[in-house]
Every structure is written in C-alpha cells, then in structure tokens.
Amino acid sequence: MPALWIAHVTVTDEEAYAKYAKLAGPAIAAHGGSFIARGGRFVQLEGKERPRNVVARFPDVETAEKCYHSDAYQEALSHARGASERELLIVETSD
C-alpha cells in the first residue's frame, strides 16, 4: 500500500536548509517519492505549529523508510540537522 512521508519543520538556518532541500528532492525521487505538499498554506488545529509542512507519497512504507536511511538522503539530512527543528513520520495510506 502507498505511504506518506510527513514532515513538520521550523527552519532556523535558511542557507544550510537550502542545501538540504537541494539534495533531498533527488533522493526522494530516486526512491519513487513524489511531493504532494511542500510548504504551502496550512491551518494548525492542534499541537505544535511548524511553518513548513511537507508531504511526499511513496509506493509503500518500506520504500519510504529505505529512502530515509539511504546514503543520499542522509547526506541531505546532514545539512538539516542544526538548521531546523523537525518531526518526520511515515504513515501507510488506506488506498
């Protein structure tokens, strides 16, 4: 079943985070991921608000998790650490 990769982000260093974004997109695409939402308008109803929210669709949970642990994504992530506060989860869809 398809899966969604959902990230809630507060960027604290725009320059470093831009390096993350430049590398993360190709790493996600290489694992069959495609962006559904990327920093668009949102309404926070509960929980901690993060100004940047990203949703990517993957073929399944396992592929999304492999993407996260891949060398390419970990290289991208090295630029986000210290440049953002984030939560990231993978959730299987019902379709």
Side-chain angles (χ1 to χ4, degrees):
M1 297 193 102
L4 300 178
W5 170 318
I6 304 169
H8 306 291
V9 184
T10 299
V11 175
T12 56
D13 180 338
E14 294 284 342
E15 186 176 324
Y17 200 81
K19 293 175 185 175
Y20 159 79
K22 182 178 179 181
L23 297 173
I28 289 168
H31 287 85
S34 60
F35 291 103
I36 297 171
R38 205 172 190 185
R41 187 175 151 213
F42 71 96
V43 176
Q44 184 73 31
L45 298 175
E46 294 185 19
K48 182 172 178 63
E49 182 173 317
R50 299 278 187 198
R52 183 167 176 78
N53 299 282
V54 178
V55 180
R57 185 179 185 92
F58 283 86
D60 51 55
V61 169
E62 293 77 17
T63 303
E65 192 171 4
K66 283 179 188 173
C67 177
Y68 180 83
H69 293 293
S70 71
D71 290 342
Y73 187 76
Q74 288 298 307
E75 170 63 23
L77 192 56
S78 73
H79 297 286
R81 290 189 177 110
S84 62
E85 298 171 4
R86 14 182 294 146
E87 290 84 33
L88 175 65
L89 65 100
I90 299 166
V91 62
E92 189 171 64
T93 65
S94 57
D95 59 340

